[in-house]
Amino acid sequence: MAIVNLQETNDLIRDITAKRAVESLPFAGRYRMVDFALSSIVNSGINSVGVMLPDYSRSVLDHIRSGKDWDLARRRDGLAYLPAALPDNDSRKGDLKDLYANLDFAELSDRKYVILTNGSFVYNIDFNDVFAFMEKTGADITMVYHVADEDRAGKNVIVETATNGMVTDLSEAPSVKKGQKVAISAYLMPVPTFVYIVRSSYEHGGQDFTVDGILRHQGEHKISAYEHKGYVAHINSTAEYYKASRDMLKPEVWEEIFMGKEHPIFTKVKDEVPVQYKATANVKNSLIANGCIIRGTVENSIIFRGVKVGKDAVVKDCILMQRCDVGDGARVENVIADKNVIISKNRWLKGAENYPYIVGKNVRI
């Protein structure tokens, strides 16, 4: 079985997640962040999945619905929504109280193992490989990590391992250095171990599963760490979201994440007309979703469904979410525009290369 934890802190990405969970953030033209965890789970043959809802859950519920697009709308097992604990029961923050409130989902299951993951990572993982590694090492818990390819800011869990793959140390760091082993918040363990960790950590005043359940009790369990050697991005800041989105314009990254025949990334299906490229359109190195009408220039950009780009308009190094409208002659560069943004005729907007200008939902400029 699997539990997808959508209780993710979003302080460094609040500009575009003020009214939505990080996991429901639109990504790569037609996907949502939660699609990567859900797709990796179902592609690994797991069909009993609990989704632990965030505080702002409407967009998550609207996107996943019955789970049909992930083949989780089943008479037996399939998708279950796990609601957040009532705030009047416990004032503690963190995900432990919500896991504790939904422990019966795991306890009443007939499954022997549980995968706990969250939805703020971009990856495409076969969890069967993680299970095989766990059996090989004889560990009580197996976590997944990747090796950072560059320095980056943001809170992460750093892993140190022996040559046999067993974890020798875990620590929480405010930033990551190139070459460090970074956990990607995916843990595999027997259901009784999971139940014990959640119950004992919560009843002793814990708040966070990773910090209070894993880091502070690592001496009680044999923990191994499986290295995922493919592409990984942790969307824990606006800068990381912007960078990961632009990474999708690299053919080798796009092919690895989305083009695997045995491991596709599923999402909510929407039937819309193809993109209309008018005679004045000029498009280079961009992802453009269905339903768009392009009359101007688009370069190095991610364009979501239903966006209109007017004649003589220039969109460069931008992310334009659903139903944005760029007027004739407008110029936008290094901009992240949320849904339904209207940029009027001949307006110019420009952000910095590493610090994009952000336009909130339903804004008219």
Side-chain angles (χ1 to χ4, degrees):
M1 64 184 299
I3 296 176
V4 184
N5 178 9
L6 304 189
Q7 286 286 346
E8 179 85 356
T9 56
N10 57 0
D11 293 341
L12 297 180
I13 196 172
R14 188 163 293 280
D15 290 335
I16 49 178
T17 59
K19 294 294 179 67
R20 62 160 72 98
V22 175
E23 293 78 7
S24 64
L25 193 62
F27 189 81
R30 61 190 295 261
Y31 300 90
R32 300 272 185 157
M33 285 299 305
V34 71
D35 293 341
F36 300 100
L38 282 177
S39 298
S40 293
I41 287 166
V42 299
N43 287 333
S44 302
I46 302 168
N47 56 26
S48 178
V49 181
V51 174
M52 199 167 73
L53 293 172
D55 294 333
Y56 291 103
S57 60
R58 190 200 62 80
S59 58
V60 172
L61 293 168
D62 176 70
H63 180 68
I64 301 176
R65 299 175 296 176
S66 68
K68 179 181 177 181
D69 295 306
W70 294 266
D71 193 26
L72 290 173
R74 296 167 175 257
R75 190 180 297 272
R76 180 187 173 120
D77 295 323
L79 177 71
Y81 288 112
L82 309 179
L86 295 175
D88 55 349
N89 291 341
D90 191 343
S91 60
R92 279 180 281 181
K93 297 182 179 179
D95 56 7
L96 261 181
K97 66 176 181 180
D98 298 309
L99 288 170
Y100 184 82
N102 292 284
L103 264 184
D104 58 342
F105 176 71
E107 289 180 301
L108 298 178
S109 172
D110 60 356
R111 305 303 172 95
K112 294 182 179 180
Y113 295 90
V114 59
I115 290 174
L116 176 66
T117 185
N118 70 25
S120 62
F121 286 85
V122 178
Y123 54 52
N124 195 335
I125 294 177
D126 186 349
F127 286 113
N128 290 305
D129 295 336
V130 182
F131 183 76
F133 185 80
M134 181 178 185
E135 288 191 315
K136 178 182 176 181
T137 59
D140 302 320
I141 302 169
T142 295
M143 59 193 303
V144 186
Y145 74 90
H146 76 105
V147 178
D149 56 2
E150 63 180 6
D151 296 354
R152 63 172 183 263
K155 186 172 64 175
N156 286 274
V157 174
I158 307 301
V159 184
E160 293 184 16
T161 62
T163 55
N164 62 356
M166 301 304 292
V167 172
T168 58
D169 191 29
L170 291 170
S171 60
E172 191 175 41
S175 62
V176 172
K177 301 295 183 183
K178 181 178 179 179
Q180 286 185 314
K181 299 175 181 179
V182 185
I184 64 174
S185 295
Y187 303 94
L188 171 64
M189 67 194 79
V191 169
T193 302
F194 169 75
V195 171
Y196 167 76
I197 289 174
V198 171
R199 178 167 283 123
S200 61
S201 300
Y202 176 78
E203 291 177 354
H204 285 83
Q207 299 186 68
D208 182 84
F209 178 83
T210 299
V211 175
D212 299 299
I214 301 296
L215 268 66
R216 293 181 181 172
H217 296 88
Q218 55 188 291
E220 300 178 24
H221 308 281
K222 291 173 60 180
I223 305 176
S224 64
Y226 171 84
E227 180 184 358
H228 175 62
K229 297 182 179 179
Y231 178 85
V232 175
H234 186 192
I235 310 304
N236 60 351
S237 68
T238 303
E240 283 297 316
Y241 173 73
Y242 187 58
K243 178 184 180 301
S245 295
R246 297 186 66 185
D247 283 346
M248 296 302 110
L249 298 176
K250 301 174 182 177
E252 66 276 12
V253 175
W254 178 266
E255 183 174 355
E256 177 195 334
I257 295 295
F258 296 104
M259 301 302 290
K261 292 183 179 180
E262 297 181 357
H263 299 93
I265 300 297
F266 302 103
T267 191
K268 179 181 178 180
V269 174
K270 291 184 178 180
D271 297 322
E272 296 188 69
V273 298
V275 183
Q276 297 181 48
Y277 297 99
K278 301 300 185 180
T280 55
N282 180 20
V283 179
K284 299 178 181 178
N285 191 39
S286 297
L287 293 176
I288 301 182
N290 290 351
C292 294
I293 301 175
I294 310 298
R295 291 185 169 88
T297 297
V298 179
E299 296 183 16
N300 305 321
S301 296
I302 312 288
I303 308 297
F304 285 75
R305 295 180 175 106
V307 171
K308 297 178 182 179
V309 178
K311 185 178 179 180
D312 297 324
V314 177
V315 176
K316 186 176 180 182
D317 299 314
C318 291
I319 301 170
L320 304 183
M321 297 185 192
Q322 292 94 314
R323 296 180 297 277
C324 287
D325 190 337
V326 180
D328 295 346
R331 185 180 182 95
V332 288
E333 186 172 348
N334 298 317
V335 169
I336 299 176
D338 211 328
K339 293 181 180 181
N340 304 317
V341 167
I342 297 176
I343 299 173
S344 303
K345 183 177 180 180
N346 297 323
R347 296 285 186 179
W348 284 39
L349 292 177
K350 184 175 181 179
E353 182 176 351
N354 296 320
Y355 195 84
Y357 184 86
I358 298 171
V359 184
K361 187 185 296 186
N362 301 321
V363 170
R364 183 185 183 100
I365 296 179

